[in-house]
Amino acid sequence: MDIEAEIRALKLRIDRFEAILRSTYADSDDNSHAHLRTGRRTRAKGSKITAAEIAVAEVRAEIADVQMEIAQDFAALGDELTGLRRQTNDQFISARAEILGVFDSLRHDMVDLGRRIDRLLTARNV
């Protein structure tokens, strides 16, 4: 699963969690003093809070997983960039050595041609 899909799923879970909390707070506002008359709170509200706490723990765990995956992806990307730098550097060194070899050969040929021209000119002037 890609990171964007995981983030969307987490956002949906957080929205559901917020809806649970809103309904819990709405229930507590409606029955805010009912427990004073009866002397006890309703069990359903307590289970909603427990479900909300579980949902928060699950969301936190999933966020930690996504953060770990992103960190691993960045580490892998760093490794790939390091490998690419090495490969590029090796190719640059190879190309530079080849160019220097060709340049040296051309320079050597030019010196030879210069000597031959000098010999021909001195032979003609004699």
Side-chain angles (χ1 to χ4, degrees):
M1 180 184 274
D2 65 345
I3 300 297
E4 290 179 9
E6 287 186 34
I7 290 172
R8 275 188 245 117
L10 284 174
K11 285 181 180 179
L12 289 174
R13 292 193 69 186
I14 289 171
D15 290 342
R16 285 193 300 257
F17 172 67
E18 287 176 344
I20 289 170
L21 287 179
R22 273 188 246 121
S23 69
T24 301
Y25 290 137
D27 289 346
S28 66
D29 288 343
D30 293 342
N31 300 322
S32 60
H33 300 295
H35 71 282
L36 294 175
R37 282 176 284 170
T38 60
R40 60 185 177 154
R41 293 186 183 266
T42 60
R43 188 169 183 90
K45 189 167 110 179
S47 65
K48 283 184 184 179
I49 292 173
T50 303
E53 291 170 349
I54 292 170
V56 167
E58 288 175 352
V59 168
R60 284 184 179 164
E62 287 186 29
I63 289 172
D65 288 343
V66 169
Q67 287 174 336
M68 186 182 342
E69 288 178 18
I70 290 173
Q72 290 172 349
D73 288 345
F74 277 123
L77 181 62
D79 292 343
E80 288 184 25
L81 286 175
T82 301
L84 181 63
R85 281 188 196 124
R86 284 185 191 139
Q87 183 180 8
T88 303
N89 191 32
D90 292 344
Q91 289 176 352
F92 174 74
I93 290 170
S94 174
R96 183 176 181 209
E98 186 178 332
I99 289 171
L100 288 175
V102 169
F103 176 72
D104 192 37
S105 175
L106 286 174
R107 190 172 48 120
H108 185 281
D109 290 345
M110 290 297 293
V111 169
D112 269 352
L113 286 173
R115 285 184 190 153
R116 287 175 69 190
I117 289 174
D118 287 343
R119 268 188 275 142
L120 288 174
L121 288 174
T122 56
R124 188 167 185 192
N125 287 337
V126 174

